[in-house]
Amino acid sequence: MDFSFDVFLAAIPSLLKGMVITAKIAALSALVGLVLGTLGGLARVSPRRVLRLPALVYVTLMRATPVLVTLLFLYYGLPSAGLLLDATTVGVIALGITNGAYMSEILRGGIESIDGGQMRAARALGMSYPLAMRRIVLPQAARRVLPPVTNELISLIKNTSLVSTVAISDLLRAGMDFMSWKANTFSPFAGVALGYLLLTLPLIAINAWLEKRYRVT
């Protein structure tokens, strides 16, 4: 073991800068994922085939493709198509659209877990489908999907480590650079592990609280 407390302390400033970048990418990707997940989830349960099929294709494609493959495909493929984006933007897009597919399935499952009789009753009272979905079904489904949504956000934070492959100075890249500089592996990567732990612990605590509060019996 080549752990050195002095090297560990020296790596902290670089790792903190990397943590900020990681947190920024995770937050932006989560925002993209939540928007796409909401739209995709609603489309997946829509009575209209024209909405269901594109959503199904999107969800199936993104869930079947590794995040790293999506990231590299966009990073090297978009310039070939004449679309020049910085690495951070590409990382956010890749993580966001992948996260959105999983969020879509989480929301779909939450909506379908609500008794269909409630939608039929709302329609019988004269509510339109969108109004019944917004006022009756979604508020109940939201309570059920909160725990898995927070769990998916935890996975998203960990998946941000993949952006280091496209030269983004995130937490993992900062650790790798410091490792090369000091020729010491264990010390900076102990800091990297601690950094990811600090980023995910709040969500882990929130997830545990939500699962306890909204446990479906």
Side-chain angles (χ1 to χ4, degrees):
M1 184 180 297
D2 59 348
F3 181 78
S4 167
F5 192 67
D6 290 337
V7 174
F8 174 79
L9 290 179
I12 288 179
S14 296
L15 296 181
L16 286 176
K17 292 179 181 178
M19 279 183 65
V20 171
I21 295 174
T22 292
K24 176 184 176 181
I25 292 175
L28 293 174
S29 300
L31 180 60
V32 173
L34 287 171
V35 171
L36 292 178
T38 300
L39 296 176
L42 291 173
R44 290 279 280 124
V45 298
S46 172
R48 297 184 179 182
R49 186 180 179 87
V50 69
L51 295 178
R52 291 200 313 274
L53 283 181
L56 176 61
V57 171
Y58 159 65
V59 169
T60 302
L61 179 63
M62 299 316 303
R63 293 178 70 195
T65 306
V67 184
L68 181 58
V69 173
T70 301
L71 176 64
L72 294 178
F73 177 80
L74 294 177
Y75 184 73
Y76 292 107
L78 290 180
S80 300
L83 187 57
L84 300 178
L85 299 174
D86 62 90
T88 300
T89 301
V90 173
V92 169
I93 293 173
L95 291 169
I97 61 177
T98 301
N99 181 254
Y102 288 95
M103 291 293 188
S104 295
E105 286 299 276
I106 291 172
L107 182 58
R108 178 191 63 81
I111 292 173
E112 292 182 345
S113 71
I114 305 301
D115 188 350
Q118 297 195 38
M119 173 61 79
R120 291 191 293 272
R123 297 301 302 275
L125 291 173
M127 290 187 182
S128 64
Y129 178 86
L131 182 62
M133 181 65 71
R134 186 173 71 250
R135 290 190 176 180
I136 305 299
V137 178
L138 285 180
Q140 299 179 73
R143 296 179 61 180
R144 299 188 179 188
V145 303
L146 279 174
V149 163
T150 56
N151 197 51
E152 183 60 32
L153 292 177
I154 293 170
S155 296
L156 174 62
I157 292 176
K158 293 185 290 185
N159 283 337
T160 58
S161 61
L162 297 174
V163 302
S164 63
T165 60
V166 292
I168 297 177
S169 301
D170 69 322
L171 178 56
L172 179 59
R173 171 59 63 179
M176 294 175 65
D177 290 344
F178 207 86
M179 174 194 71
S180 300
W181 179 35
K182 291 293 187 178
N184 184 296
T185 303
F186 192 79
S187 304
F189 274 91
V192 171
L194 180 60
Y196 282 112
L197 180 64
L198 293 175
L199 288 172
T200 56
L201 269 181
L203 283 175
I204 291 174
I206 291 172
N207 186 60
W209 180 79
L210 289 172
E211 286 184 342
K212 181 178 179 180
R213 180 176 178 84
Y214 296 131
R215 184 175 293 117
V216 179
T217 57

